[in-house]
Amino acid sequence: MSEQEAKVMKEEMNDYRVQGFSCANCARKFEKNVKKLPEVQDAKVNFGASKISVYGETTVEQLEQAGAFENLKVKPEKSAEVVNEEEKKQEEKVPFYKKHSTLLYSVLFMALGFLSMFVNGNENIVTALLFITSMLVGGLSLLKTGLQNLVRFEFDMRTLMTIAVIGGVIIGEWAEVAIVVILFAISEALERFSMDRARQSIRSLMDIAPKEAVIRRNGQEIMVHVNDIAVGDIMLVKPGQKIAMDGVIVNGYSAINQAAITGESVPVEKNLDDEVFAGTLNEEGLLEVKITKLVEDTTISKIIYLVEEAQGERAPAQAFVDKFAKYYTPVIVIVAALVAVLPPLFFGAGWETWIYQGLAVLVVGCPCALVISTPISIVSAIGNAAKKGILVKGGVYLEEIGGLKAIAFDKTGTLTKGVPVVTDYRVIEEQTDEQGLLSIITALEYRSGHPLASAIMKKADSDNISYSDIPIEDFSSITGKGIMGKINGKIYYIGSPKLFQELSVTNLNKAIEWDVIALQKQGKTVMVVGTEDKIEAIIAVADEVRESSKEVIQKLHQAGIKKTVMLTGDNHSTANAIGEHVGVTDVQSELLPQDKLDVIKQLKSENNHVAMVGDGVNDAPALAASTVGIAMGGVGTDTALETADVALMGDDLKKLPFTVKLSRKTLNIIKGNITFAIAIKLVALFLVIPGWLTLWIAILSDMGATLLVALNSLRLMRVKEDE
């Protein structure tokens, strides 16, 4: 496909919400039907998010016709918000007995059938009619789809069930067939309920941001729907209200609870020109916010979109199950046929007995539990992660994290805060005025523009020391060594220890040199302050290590991550000091961006599965080359959301061990589900040998397996960070 064609297709792509999916197989069949529509070039169903992306021209009527086999209802994505609200209200109004009336009527006719069988006997025409009515009421949709599949030689769960039902009716097993139909309907309802519960984690994200906001226009304050708010509008947010749109504070200050997006429970102080995000809670002051993004571009909208896309991405386990089910279902049909035919032909057994056993094999062979085992797990886990401020962009990455052997960390902004701070300030002579000297140092640095000057200015500000109004004469920069300037007739120097060796100051002794070396070994940048005659103070600045870094590295090692590597452009001594402090197993220093990429490639060749944790901007090549790229601080950072496979929204490294734990738990649950689903089928199939397998045991084992697998998967929604 040419770039132009791809662009045209993207422009013609439309998303639709789909209501009524009962299983993954139905979703795939719907996708196949939509692809056959005349003006459609391609279509992709996202079963996890219950939506379809259509490339080309089509109508809602055509889409609903393609999903008529399952009576699917389709709505355009743009109106989904309104539709969701309407559906919620309608669902609240619909009583249980009306919602499941078909199933209840089916059960009623079956009960009457058993009553008639008790009174009139099994062979009575009334008994037969009641059971057949129960089958038709409860299984009309099943039989209709199954027969269509049978004509097209498409074998799925409904095809197997239809053959079993028709066969059961032919050999006169009215009661058992009625039970099978009802239990299958219950199984589908449970499957649908489980999937809806998993999807609810994303729907709850949609409800986080208010649908209306107070906007000031033409001097008036009016309530406006978020769809009608424009970039540049001024939004008013009172204390206790949720923020409806992304924007920048133009008046007021407050503490904002960003837990809905970042997962962090501690409110964040926000002042003038600070960004605020839709869905967060204004806890204190009245805010005036200038809107910077349309509703579809807000951070919460992007998160919801990316999470839904992630739920649609098939994990390796899902790909295995899909491939397995593709060949498994026809094999079950062949096995069932052999069970029904071989014993009567070669061993003189009764035809009716073994046809019945063959039909039971068809029923027990339904891969419901197997097919649902992975999607519910992936949707539940990704939804849980999103609520805790961890954006995982696909099932494949969720699985890959569980198999990690090595994790590389960019130092600046990841293991450290990325902001330099003054760690040590020592005057050489006791009689020196510490505050007076600090104001002189800050006044000089204020004019220097040096990257570390901001740390010294912050120190002065926090100590309430004024510096901007101190007059300086003959200020100049000494290239590669430091700065100098005249204050009150005296020339002051700030620079490296080498600068003062050249000045030949009188008090440069071993004690000062040892102090400088000791601070440098701790990974700090040391600046010496003095005049032409003597050294007056030593000031050390460092990129502050995050409080959580040491604990996070320790937890990762306890979780079985064998290798943790810190990557930095810092010199060897600084890098080693920080690496030793946080506890990483390896330190790679004095690296250029290209060098970081080479280190990742080397780690990958040695360990196969490697994650890279960075800020998503200058670490983009290394993030892309790793097995899983993890970006820090995804809130409002488009680059992090687009580049990385996983984004830690709250800029919180402590979420990394939880992500590893959730991934491993997801993998274990998926493997457990698949093993259990296959094992229960094998156990039921072994009952064929002594002839003990019945239709109702077959469907009960299938329904039981589906229910247990679904409930087991939903446990992932409850995994907590402190477990």
Side-chain angles (χ1 to χ4, degrees):
M1 185 188 293
S2 70
E3 193 176 323
Q4 185 63 30
E5 286 173 332
K7 189 179 177 184
V8 171
M9 274 189 72
K10 190 172 182 183
E11 286 173 359
E12 292 179 356
M13 192 268 279
N14 291 296
D15 287 331
Y16 298 86
R17 293 278 168 186
V18 184
Q19 186 186 6
F21 280 143
S22 62
C23 63
N25 277 335
C26 306
R28 280 195 288 278
K29 185 174 180 182
F30 177 55
E31 181 179 278
K32 194 186 292 184
N33 290 351
V34 172
K35 284 179 179 178
K36 291 176 183 174
L37 293 174
E39 300 297 320
V40 173
Q41 282 92 42
D42 196 12
K44 183 184 176 186
V45 164
N46 183 333
F47 178 57
S50 200
K51 61 192 269 191
I52 184 170
S53 300
V54 181
Y55 299 87
E57 292 182 14
T58 187
T59 63
V60 169
E61 290 74 21
Q62 286 177 311
L63 292 172
E64 289 190 345
Q65 187 59 39
F69 68 93
E70 185 78 347
N71 197 26
L72 299 177
K73 298 296 176 191
V74 180
K75 299 286 180 187
E77 170 75 18
K78 289 176 183 175
S79 63
E81 188 180 287
V82 180
V83 171
N84 283 341
E85 291 299 316
E86 288 175 359
E87 282 173 5
K88 275 184 199 169
K89 289 174 186 174
Q90 286 170 7
E91 279 180 23
E92 286 168 7
K93 291 177 184 175
V94 177
F96 177 84
Y97 70 89
K98 281 191 177 179
K99 198 173 179 182
H100 301 284
S101 58
T102 306
L103 184 58
L104 293 173
Y105 281 128
S106 181
V107 171
L108 176 63
F109 281 114
M110 185 186 71
L112 291 172
F114 276 111
L115 183 64
S116 175
M117 187 169 71
F118 179 73
V119 175
N120 304 315
N122 193 32
E123 303 299 324
N124 184 271
I125 186 69
V126 175
T127 303
L129 285 172
L130 285 168
F131 281 129
I132 289 170
T133 305
S134 173
M135 277 180 261
L136 290 173
V137 170
L140 190 61
S141 136
L142 157 71
L143 293 167
K144 184 182 171 186
T145 308
L147 287 169
Q148 287 175 346
N149 291 349
L150 206 52
V151 170
R152 298 178 188 134
F153 290 98
E154 293 175 359
F155 292 98
D156 63 8
M157 290 178 285
R158 296 193 167 202
T159 316
L160 299 185
M161 289 300 301
T162 302
I163 297 169
V165 167
I166 293 169
V169 170
I170 291 169
I171 62 173
E173 294 291 343
W174 319 105
E176 286 202 44
V177 171
I179 291 171
V180 165
V181 168
I182 287 170
L183 289 177
F184 184 76
I186 292 171
S187 176
E188 281 205 324
L190 288 170
E191 194 176 319
R192 190 183 287 114
F193 171 77
S194 302
M195 203 67 202
D196 283 344
R197 279 295 302 273
R199 289 184 186 122
Q200 191 61 40
S201 60
I202 303 308
R203 286 182 193 153
S204 63
L205 284 178
M206 293 178 183
D207 296 334
I208 284 171
K211 303 295 180 282
E212 293 180 318
V214 175
I215 299 294
R216 182 183 290 143
R217 284 180 185 167
N218 303 321
Q220 290 187 317
E221 295 176 8
I222 53 173
M223 185 71 78
V224 178
H225 194 277
V226 288
N227 290 338
D228 301 322
I229 295 175
V231 172
D233 276 341
I234 301 297
M235 173 175 66
L236 305 179
V237 189
K238 294 177 182 176
Q241 285 186 339
K242 279 190 176 181
I243 296 168
M245 301 282 282
D246 284 13
V248 175
I249 296 174
V250 291
N251 193 11
Y253 62 90
S254 182
I256 305 292
N257 187 330
Q258 299 188 150
I261 291 180
T262 66
E264 57 188 333
S265 55
V266 180
V268 179
E269 292 292 328
K270 298 279 185 175
N271 294 296
L272 283 179
D273 299 327
D274 284 343
E275 270 190 295
V276 293
F277 306 101
T280 57
L281 179 67
N282 177 25
E283 293 200 340
E284 292 176 7
L286 177 68
L287 295 177
E288 292 185 16
V289 178
K290 185 178 181 181
I291 305 301
T292 55
K293 294 176 183 175
L294 296 173
V295 65
E296 61 267 22
D297 299 323
T298 60
T299 302
I300 189 70
S301 297
K302 282 184 180 175
I303 291 171
I304 292 165
Y305 173 77
L306 289 168
V307 170
E308 288 193 334
E309 289 301 299
Q311 290 179 333
E313 291 293 325
R314 288 181 188 171
Q318 178 70 38
F320 160 75
V321 168
D322 290 346
K323 195 171 182 180
F324 182 82
K326 183 181 176 183
Y327 297 105
Y328 166 84
T329 311
V331 166
I332 283 292
V333 174
I334 294 166
V335 170
L338 293 174
V339 167
V341 172
L342 291 182
L345 283 179
F346 295 100
F347 303 104
W351 279 98
E352 188 173 321
T353 302
W354 285 97
I355 287 173
Y356 178 85
Q357 289 291 303
L359 296 175
V361 168
L362 282 179
V363 174
V364 84
C366 281
C368 300
L370 190 64
V371 170
I372 202 68
S373 62
T374 308
I376 294 188
S377 300
I378 296 295
V379 171
S380 300
I382 288 176
N384 184 4
K387 282 185 172 181
K388 291 179 172 61
I390 304 158
L391 183 58
V392 184
K393 290 170 69 174
V396 61
Y397 307 117
L398 195 65
E399 284 198 25
E400 293 284 10
I401 291 167
L404 289 175
K405 301 296 179 193
I407 301 180
F409 297 85
D410 175 53
K411 178 189 77 80
T412 308
T414 303
L415 292 173
T416 65
K417 292 180 179 177
V419 179
V421 292
V422 173
T423 58
D424 301 84
Y425 172 51
R426 303 174 190 172
V427 294
I428 303 302
E429 296 175 359
E430 288 183 10
Q431 64 269 28
T432 303
D433 176 8
E434 285 189 30
Q435 290 196 340
L437 183 58
L438 183 59
S439 69
I440 289 169
I441 295 167
T442 313
L444 288 164
E445 290 290 354
Y446 177 58
R447 289 160 175 80
S448 76
H450 191 274
L452 299 179
S454 61
I456 295 170
M457 286 188 283
K458 278 180 192 170
K459 164 80 173 163
D461 290 337
S462 66
D463 292 354
N464 294 318
I465 294 171
S466 59
Y467 54 86
S468 56
D469 55 348
I470 294 177
I472 297 176
E473 299 174 45
D474 303 328
F475 177 85
S476 66
S477 175
I478 307 165
T479 308
K481 294 176 184 175
I483 56 173
M484 61 178 286
K486 186 185 285 186
I487 298 173
N488 297 328
K490 190 187 287 188
I491 298 174
Y492 286 89
Y493 295 85
I494 303 173
S496 65
K498 288 180 183 177
L499 172 63
F500 285 86
Q501 287 172 355
E502 292 174 10
L503 289 171
S504 302
V505 291
T506 55
N507 65 339
L508 180 59
N509 54 35
K510 289 290 182 186
I512 293 174
E513 287 179 0
W514 287 338
D515 273 356
V516 169
I517 291 167
L519 290 168
Q520 286 175 336
K521 281 183 177 177
Q522 293 171 30
K524 299 170 182 177
T525 301
V526 181
M527 292 177 279
V528 180
V529 183
T531 63
E532 291 175 318
D533 304 321
K534 64 178 180 177
I535 293 172
E536 295 196 4
I538 296 171
I539 193 161
V541 176
D543 182 2
E544 197 174 8
V545 176
R546 291 179 189 271
E547 296 85 352
S548 59
S549 293
K550 190 172 183 177
E551 181 191 348
V552 167
I553 298 297
Q554 193 176 357
K555 282 185 177 178
L556 289 172
H557 288 158
Q558 288 169 356
I561 303 294
K562 294 176 182 176
K563 197 159 191 177
T564 49
V565 185
M566 186 181 83
L567 311 181
T568 178
D570 284 351
N571 62 63
H572 297 308
S573 60
T574 301
N576 288 331
I578 293 171
E580 191 177 329
H581 174 70
V582 299
V584 291
T585 59
D586 190 18
V587 174
Q588 298 284 339
S589 51
E590 298 185 6
L591 301 175
L592 297 169
Q594 178 59 42
D595 299 328
K596 289 182 183 180
L597 180 60
D598 294 338
V599 171
I600 291 296
K601 286 178 179 176
Q602 179 65 28
L603 284 170
K604 210 170 175 183
S605 67
E606 293 170 1
N607 301 278
N608 293 328
H609 292 74
V610 177
M612 168 70 188
V613 188
D615 61 14
V617 183
N618 56 2
D619 299 315
L623 285 169
S626 60
T627 313
V628 183
I630 303 170
M632 291 282 289
V635 179
T637 312
D638 292 344
T639 312
L641 292 176
E642 288 164 14
T643 308
D645 307 315
V646 177
L648 306 180
M649 303 300 290
D651 202 22
D652 185 1
L653 203 58
K654 285 187 286 188
K655 296 188 184 298
L656 188 55
F658 170 73
T659 310
V660 173
K661 181 179 80 170
L662 181 66
S663 169
R664 288 180 177 173
K665 197 150 193 170
T666 305
L667 275 176
N668 289 337
I669 281 179
I670 288 172
K671 287 173 184 174
N673 284 348
I674 293 171
T675 305
F676 176 72
I678 293 173
I680 205 165
K681 302 290 181 196
L682 291 173
V683 169
L685 287 172
F686 279 127
L687 294 177
V688 172
I689 297 168
W692 296 345
L693 186 62
T694 61
L695 284 172
W696 67 268
I697 287 178
I699 189 63
L700 205 59
S701 71
D702 181 67
M703 188 181 79
T706 303
L707 181 59
L708 289 172
V709 159
L711 291 174
N712 193 34
S713 299
L714 289 174
R715 286 170 51 218
L716 289 165
M717 294 172 68
R718 297 180 176 274
V719 178
K720 294 177 182 176
E721 292 181 63
D722 54 357
E723 276 184 358

